[in-house]
Amino acid sequence: MGHSRAACCLLIAAAAAAAAGRCEAQFVFPLQVSPAVAPSDSLVPTPVLLKRTGGAGASREAGSLALAAEPGGSVNFVAMVENLQGDSGRGYYLEMLLGSPPQQLNILIDTGSSNFAVAGAPNIDVASYFDTTKSSTYQSLGIEVTVKYTQGSWTGTLGTDIITIPKGINGTYIINIATISQSENFFLKGVKWQGILGLAYSVLAKPSSSVETFFDSLVSQAKIPNIFSLQMCGAGLPVSGSGTNGGSLILGGIEPSLYKGQVWYTPIKEEWYYQVEILKLEVAGQNLNLDCREYNKEKAIVDSGTTLLRLPEKVFSAVVDAIVRTSLIQGFSPGFWTGAQFACWNRMEEPWSMFPKISVYLRDENSSSSFRITIHPQLYIQPILEMGQNLNCYRFGISSSTNALVLGATVMEGFYVIFDRAQKRVGFALSPCAEVGGLPVSEIEGPFTTADVASNCVSTMSFHEPLLWIVSYALMSFCGLVLLLLIILLLLPPRFRHRYTENDIVNDESSLVRHRWK
């Protein structure tokens, strides 16, 4: 059965490899436009580079869980439904109006970064850009900022202006905006977005965490709860870049029509990325039996700006080996697993029945229990293009990573994901749009005991910006100790002092003491 049904054509073309590489870029989200009130030209923003005093505390006090508001209020979640466009290959994006008079741009949604940045100059890969000279409310802060992502980077200038979200929160708001003047592998050919909306925490913001993030500004100014939720509806659909697939970004709460069943929450381990704790992985119901710390190596995060499910190298190898053992594919080429090749099947034959389910166990809010989210092959064996009239080609929606486990769009498209910042937790619920051929392609089950895993699977030391403070304090302590020794030497009676001559040599050229003696 395996040989005949699994007969597939592997395309090892340079174009395929290039396409697969590009697909690991950040995501996109366009919104469907509804009429918006043009902001007043007389409204001039004041710089908001630094966080407002007490802003973080105020945002936490803004409330926890919020459900759909009454129509006509400042927050109408129903109006935000289907406000995203995009696909799993190039991301999901939201429509925004920037400046006075308003300029329309599509902004990619990224929960794995914290800067709000838009194209600020003509670029061959974008259809439009934000022209600050045409906005009477734009104010430059004169601060250069550079942000590097897993793939791509940009450099721009920080400023402030007003924004309106046609299918979002009513009103106009003053926001920190970085206008991109230079970029490398950031804007991709054919993408339909012109900027990125980082929705992670301020500790990741550049050039420093003092830059108030877009969502923090929205929480403070619009008085909305410190929570947002995300539905991405690209399951089983071609990674075409056409922007025809949709989704929803609900700012300020949860829209009940976007999920079914129970919401399962896992704690946010640290507020920088949306870092969670993964306890184990299963392929075809079989535990990989790895130390749970392997899954959280450096960090495990939920990131809408990453296309694939990315796994630490050891975990990735174990997952591929398990898929090879349990699938109906015989002698599958290694190029498919590394993203260098596409696999093509006859159009009349869908390959998904040949692959196993993959389950990820997350620690529950009750630390003694867990729940699992399961993705079907329709989510990680992704249609990518058509070859002639007879073949459909697919890519492997999982890749290896050197520095993190990332639950990217490959996983997120199966669920309605709730980023409850007020209560430091991420929620998962089944998404009604996560269906292929009328059948669901994701599952959530629980609770399960955690008796078979360690009490803590996350390293106690995270290597990111706060570590710099620890190093700084250590260096300051060392310098203080050296200074204390020098003071003691200076206070000693003359008979205890050594009389140094020009012939005295201190060999340690880096010694602060040597330079002090001179």
Side-chain angles (χ1 to χ4, degrees):
M1 177 180 178
H3 286 284
S4 60
R5 283 184 53 83
C8 65
C9 170
L10 291 176
L11 304 179
I12 319 176
R22 280 186 178 268
C23 288
E24 294 205 32
Q26 275 74 18
F27 277 124
V28 209
F29 291 49
L31 247 187
Q32 299 178 10
V33 190
S34 63
V37 178
S40 169
D41 290 345
S42 62
L43 178 58
V44 178
T46 54
V48 289
L49 173 62
L50 299 180
K51 292 181 180 179
R52 295 169 176 76
T53 304
S59 66
R60 292 242 173 171
E61 296 170 1
S64 54
L65 192 70
L67 297 179
E70 291 296 325
S74 62
V75 183
N76 181 5
F77 297 157
V78 176
M80 300 183 208
V81 173
E82 297 183 359
N83 61 0
L84 301 180
Q85 292 180 357
D87 59 50
S88 61
R90 303 192 183 191
Y92 292 80
Y93 52 95
L94 173 73
E95 181 191 291
M96 287 191 195
L97 303 176
L98 284 68
S100 306
Q103 301 175 43
Q104 178 184 323
L105 296 177
N106 292 329
I107 309 297
L108 177 143
I109 302 302
D110 181 21
T111 62
S113 67
S114 300
N115 281 84
F116 176 43
V118 298
N123 186 295
I124 190 172
D125 291 325
V126 297
S128 59
Y129 67 97
F130 179 45
D131 189 343
T132 58
T133 65
K134 295 182 179 179
S135 174
S136 62
T137 48
Y138 175 78
Q139 288 191 355
S140 173
L141 296 172
I143 299 174
E144 184 176 282
V145 56
T146 297
V147 177
K148 296 181 179 180
Y149 303 89
T150 304
Q151 177 176 329
S153 63
W154 55 260
T155 297
T157 303
L158 202 62
T160 65
D161 210 333
I162 58 176
I163 64 98
T164 302
I165 307 174
K167 296 184 72 173
I169 306 294
N170 291 341
T172 57
Y173 304 96
I174 302 170
I175 301 293
N176 286 316
I177 304 172
T179 51
I180 299 172
S181 55
Q182 299 178 21
S183 63
E184 182 177 355
N185 296 325
F186 179 69
F187 297 111
L188 304 176
K189 186 176 180 61
V191 297
K192 293 180 170 58
W193 47 270
Q194 301 88 38
I196 186 169
L197 172 55
L199 289 170
Y201 291 95
S202 61
V203 70
L204 297 181
K206 305 298 180 183
S208 76
S209 58
S210 65
V211 177
E212 185 173 75
T213 66
F214 181 100
F215 193 68
D216 283 339
S217 296
L218 209 57
V219 168
S220 174
Q221 296 176 47
K223 309 302 182 185
I224 61 173
N226 194 12
I227 177 176
F228 66 91
S229 49
L230 185 57
Q231 181 194 58
M232 300 155 68
C233 295
L237 298 174
V239 182
S240 62
S242 63
T244 55
N245 304 336
S248 303
L249 173 64
I250 307 300
L251 300 166
I254 300 172
E255 169 50 47
S257 66
L258 298 181
Y259 72 94
K260 55 186 178 182
Q262 181 179 347
V263 179
W264 292 85
Y265 287 97
T266 187
I268 294 173
K269 298 298 293 184
E270 193 166 352
E271 295 170 296
W272 55 322
Y273 298 95
Y274 292 99
Q275 181 180 356
V276 296
E277 183 180 10
I278 293 177
L279 306 185
K280 61 182 177 180
L281 263 67
E282 291 178 346
V283 176
Q286 299 299 310
N287 190 350
L288 294 183
N289 289 319
L290 296 176
D291 186 318
C292 67
R293 286 168 291 192
E294 295 289 347
Y295 304 123
N296 301 277
K297 194 171 184 179
E298 289 201 28
K299 57 186 176 290
I301 64 175
V302 184
D303 178 11
S304 67
T306 295
T307 306
L308 308 179
L309 166 59
R310 295 176 59 83
L311 303 173
E313 293 173 350
K314 185 174 182 179
V315 179
F316 176 77
S317 296
V319 166
V320 169
D321 289 345
I323 293 175
V324 170
R325 289 195 309 268
T326 56
S327 74
L328 300 179
I329 304 299
Q330 301 294 322
F332 219 90
S333 170
F336 177 70
W337 309 115
T338 61
Q341 296 173 310
F342 298 148
C344 302
W345 280 267
N346 187 294
R347 185 167 298 178
M348 301 301 294
E349 183 177 32
E350 293 181 341
W352 297 315
S353 61
M354 305 176 190
F355 292 88
K357 299 176 183 179
I358 299 175
S359 297
V360 179
Y361 285 73
L362 295 149
R363 194 179 296 277
D364 190 58
E365 288 188 288
N366 176 358
S367 61
S368 63
S369 64
S370 66
F371 65 94
R372 72 181 176 210
I373 58 176
T374 299
I375 60 172
H376 294 204
Q378 288 88 336
L379 287 171
Y380 71 87
I381 303 296
Q382 302 170 341
I384 189 79
L385 54 82
E386 298 179 354
M387 292 293 293
Q389 297 182 348
N390 299 321
L391 295 177
N392 283 337
C393 298
Y394 300 78
R395 72 173 180 188
F396 189 44
I398 306 175
S399 68
S400 63
S401 169
T402 58
N403 61 354
L405 187 151
V406 184
L407 300 178
T410 292
V411 174
M412 294 179 67
E413 286 181 337
F415 305 95
Y416 182 52
V417 186
I418 299 161
F419 297 85
D420 187 349
R421 296 153 58 101
Q423 298 193 52
K424 291 187 64 174
R425 60 185 186 175
V426 176
F428 292 85
L430 290 177
S431 170
C433 72
E435 294 185 349
V436 175
L439 298 175
V441 295
S442 58
E443 305 171 15
I444 300 184
E445 296 175 285
F448 302 98
T449 180
T450 59
D452 59 337
V453 295
S455 59
N456 182 20
C457 298
V458 178
S459 171
T460 55
M461 178 67 74
S462 297
F463 294 92
H464 56 91
E465 189 170 347
L467 180 61
L468 297 178
W469 288 103
I470 299 175
V471 174
S472 299
Y473 284 127
L475 290 174
M476 290 170 61
S477 299
F478 174 76
C479 293
L481 180 61
V482 171
L483 182 61
L484 178 62
L485 291 174
L486 290 174
I487 293 174
I488 293 174
L489 289 172
L490 290 172
L491 294 177
L492 284 174
R495 64 178 179 273
F496 289 108
R497 296 181 189 171
H498 173 71
R499 296 184 180 277
Y500 291 92
T501 67
E502 292 183 357
N503 294 325
D504 286 335
I505 298 176
V506 179
N507 291 324
D508 184 0
E509 293 293 333
S510 66
S511 171
L512 294 176
V513 178
R514 177 181 187 275
H515 296 292
R516 173 75 180 187
W517 284 341
K518 282 186 173 181

